[in-house]
Amino acid sequence: MPTSATSSPARLFVPVRRHGPAVVLRTFLDPGGVRTGVGFTSRDLLREVLGAECACVELGIGALRLLLEARGTTALTVDPRLSLAPAKPPARLVAA
């Protein structure tokens, strides 16, 4: 559910990936295929949806929107309830 200006929480737990010393904001596709950022109102909810091993940072909603816009993403979903596992790369074919 996209956020509205009147119901936005002040801070969100945002999923990230760690690449060496860098932390990279994760984005997802919504059911309509639109790229969206996600944030959760609690760390427990983030882990319930994305798994206990999911790294996260706590960001103010304004900072999160700026980071998303820098990546060309304007949609933000707060507290999504469903996440599908990432697609696995196809198995390599080995010539016999």
Side-chain angles (χ1 to χ4, degrees):
M1 93 186 127
T3 62
S4 72
T6 58
S7 66
S8 298
R11 299 185 72 72
L12 294 170
F13 293 90
V14 180
V16 295
R17 283 201 172 95
R18 299 193 187 279
H19 291 282
V23 175
V24 180
L25 188 68
R26 291 178 61 186
T27 58
F28 299 84
L29 295 176
D30 72 10
V34 175
R35 176 103 10 227
T36 183
V38 297
F40 294 85
T41 53
S42 76
R43 183 175 278 125
D44 288 340
L45 184 55
L46 177 141
R47 291 184 172 153
E48 179 183 316
V49 174
L50 297 177
E53 69 286 348
C54 183
C56 67
V57 296
E58 191 175 355
L59 290 173
I61 197 163
L64 176 55
R65 286 195 180 278
L66 287 172
L67 290 169
L68 289 170
E69 288 172 6
R71 296 184 63 181
T73 301
T74 58
L76 173 59
T77 304
V78 175
D79 290 341
R81 302 304 269 168
L82 176 64
S83 172
L84 300 177
K88 293 182 180 178
R92 288 182 93 183
L93 297 177
V94 179

